[in-house]
Amino acid sequence: GENVEQHPSTLSVQEGDSAVIKCTYSDSASNYFPWYKQELGKRPQLIIDIRSNVGEKKDQRIAVTLNKTAKHFSLHITETQPEDSAVYFCAAIPSGGNEKLTFGTGTRLTIIP
Amino acid sequence: GAVVSQHPSWVICKSGTSVKIECRSLDFQATTMFWYRQFPKQSLMLMATSNEGSKATYEQGVEKDKFLINHASLTLSTLTVTSAHPEDSSFYICSASSRQETQYFGPGTRLLVL
C-alpha cells in the first residue's frame, strides 16, 4: 500500500521567515495530495491540496509543489505568523479508489515571535 | 459549507461499558465516512471506511466486533466502542467526503476509560 514520509518532525521558525515541510510517497499512481493543519486538541483542517495534473498551487501565504517524477510534494508557508504554529500533516490518496487517505507522521511547527 | 459535527466531544466511562460516538455531515451528503484514532503527538490512524448502506471496511488490526460502525444515512455514521478498556482511551475523529477526494473532519471525541 501507500507509504507517506514527512520531514522534519519538528520545525522552529522565526516570525516572518518561511517554513518548508516535505513529504514523499511511494505509490506513483497517487493523484491527490492534501495538507492539513491541526491545532492542539482540535480537528485537522484542510489548508491546501493539489492534484497530480498540477505542479504548483498557491493560496496567499501558503503554496504546495508537487514533483511526480520524484514522488515528493512540499508545503511552503511564507511570512510566518504566530498563529501558524500547529501540527501539519501531508497525505496522499493511493490508486484503487475508495478515497482512503494515507497520512504522513506530522510536523510540529513553532513560530518564534 | 462542508461542516462535520461529532458527538460527544468527550466521554469518561468505566471499563466494560460501551460508548457510542456520532458523526454527522451537516450541510452535505457524505457517501463515505472515515473513522480515525489519534494518540498524543501521533498521526491519524485510519480504523475503518464506512459507506452508506453497506458494511464498513476495517483496516488491518482493527477488531470489527469491538469497534462497531453503522452508516445508516448519508449524513450519519456511528462508532460504538464495545466493552471499552483503558487501552481504548484515545482521540477518535471522523471525516466525511462526498464523491470527491476531499475529507472534512469532525471535531473529535476524547474517550477516557477508567
Side-chain angles (χ1 to χ4, degrees):
Chain A
E2 175 68 281
N3 181 47
V4 177
E5 295 189 355
Q6 185 171 346
H7 299 282
S9 57
T10 61
L11 178 62
S12 294
V13 173
Q14 204 73 35
E15 182 178 354
D17 289 349
S18 297
V20 180
I21 302 171
K22 298 181 179 181
C23 288
T24 60
Y25 60 98
S26 60
D27 189 337
S28 57
S30 289
N31 56 13
Y32 176 65
F33 308 91
W35 285 89
Y36 287 88
K37 174 184 180 182
Q38 187 179 28
E39 298 179 19
L40 187 63
K42 296 189 177 180
R43 78 182 81 196
Q45 290 192 309
L46 179 70
I47 56 172
I48 196 166
D49 56 12
I50 192 167
R51 288 177 168 79
S52 59
N53 58 347
V54 176
E56 183 175 357
K57 184 177 178 181
K58 190 174 181 180
D59 182 4
Q60 299 183 338
R61 298 187 296 109
I62 296 173
V64 57
T65 59
L66 171 65
N67 184 326
K68 287 177 58 180
T69 303
K71 289 188 286 185
H72 67 68
F73 56 112
S74 301
L75 177 71
H76 304 254
I77 306 175
T78 59
E79 301 173 24
T80 54
Q81 302 169 2
E83 53 266 35
D84 294 330
S85 295
V87 178
Y88 292 81
F89 292 99
C90 63
I93 286 189
S95 59
N98 76 14
E99 304 168 354
K100 278 173 39 174
L101 281 173
T102 299
F103 282 89
T105 49
T107 296
R108 183 172 300 277
L109 175 63
T110 302
I111 306 302
I112 304 167
Chain B
V3 178
V4 178
S5 70
Q6 205 170 322
H7 178 82
S9 56
W10 60 270
V11 59
I12 301 173
C13 69
K14 292 182 179 180
S15 185
T17 59
S18 294
V19 175
K20 180 185 281 189
I21 303 170
E22 291 186 350
C23 178
R24 292 181 185 272
S25 56
L26 299 184
D27 54 358
F28 67 102
Q29 293 186 325
T31 52
T32 307
M33 288 186 170
F34 304 85
W35 287 96
Y36 296 85
R37 185 172 180 177
Q38 187 177 35
F39 291 105
K41 298 186 179 181
Q42 293 189 23
S43 188
L44 292 89
M45 291 177 50
L46 180 65
M47 298 175 66
T49 303
S50 169
N51 290 293
E52 184 265 338
S54 61
K55 290 184 179 180
T57 302
Y58 290 82
E59 294 300 297
Q60 193 172 10
V62 178
E63 299 176 57
K64 61 180 181 180
D65 294 331
K66 180 167 184 63
F67 298 100
L68 300 178
I69 292 172
N70 183 275
H71 193 157
S73 75
L74 285 171
T75 59
L76 173 64
S77 177
T78 61
L79 167 68
T80 300
V81 183
T82 62
S83 186
H85 291 284
E87 58 265 29
D88 298 323
S89 299
S90 189
F91 191 48
Y92 292 88
I93 310 177
C94 71
S95 71
S97 69
S98 60
R99 302 190 188 279
Q100 298 180 7
E101 304 99 338
T102 304
Q103 290 186 28
Y104 298 96
F105 284 84
T109 296
R110 195 163 299 280
L111 171 63
L112 176 61
V113 185
L114 302 176

